[in-house]
Amino acid sequence: VMEIKNLEMERVEAALARQEALVESECAQVRSLTEFQEDARLRFAEYADDLRSTEMTVELETLAASTLNQKHNAACEDLEAIKSLEIEARAQCLAVVTEMR
């Protein structure tokens, strides 16, 4: 009877050891997955920051391009006004020269 109980106890202890090893293996897998998930979350946060930074850069470059375009348009209008004044001044000079003759 004692020998049977010892054999049963050894089987129970062996089964318990296998269960403990299985639980430890599963815990290790969960820890590994948790670390992977945390790394992925950090990478995603970095990508999100990079995206926001890129979006802000694009907005600033768009604003700069718009400002340059406005300045270009204003300069073109100034140039047209100068050309018009130049034509008017030449006409007045021609009139003066014609009167002098």
Side-chain angles (χ1 to χ4, degrees):
V1 174
M2 195 60 128
E3 198 172 305
I4 292 173
K5 285 187 177 185
N6 284 342
L7 286 174
E8 285 180 16
M9 187 61 105
E10 286 176 12
R11 276 191 248 143
V12 168
E13 287 175 352
L16 184 58
R18 286 192 302 273
Q19 285 291 354
E20 286 176 353
L22 181 62
V23 167
E24 187 56 40
S25 173
E26 288 175 352
C27 287
Q29 287 178 345
V30 168
R31 282 191 297 272
S32 177
L33 288 172
T34 301
E35 290 172 3
F36 177 79
Q37 184 182 21
E38 181 63 17
D39 288 346
R41 187 190 67 74
L42 291 173
R43 280 194 307 274
F44 180 79
E46 289 174 5
Y47 295 149
D49 287 345
D50 289 347
L51 179 60
R52 280 190 290 277
S53 176
T54 300
E55 287 173 344
M56 288 179 13
T57 300
V58 168
E59 287 175 12
L60 289 173
E61 288 176 352
T62 301
L63 180 61
S66 175
T67 301
L68 285 175
N69 190 43
Q70 290 173 355
K71 288 182 179 181
H72 170 76
N73 290 342
C76 286
E77 289 174 7
D78 289 347
L79 184 59
E80 288 300 318
I82 290 170
K83 286 180 181 178
S84 178
L85 290 173
E86 183 181 10
I87 290 171
E88 186 178 324
R90 285 184 182 180
Q92 288 176 358
C93 284
L94 185 60
V96 168
V97 168
T98 303
E99 278 184 29
M100 289 175 67
R101 287 185 183 177

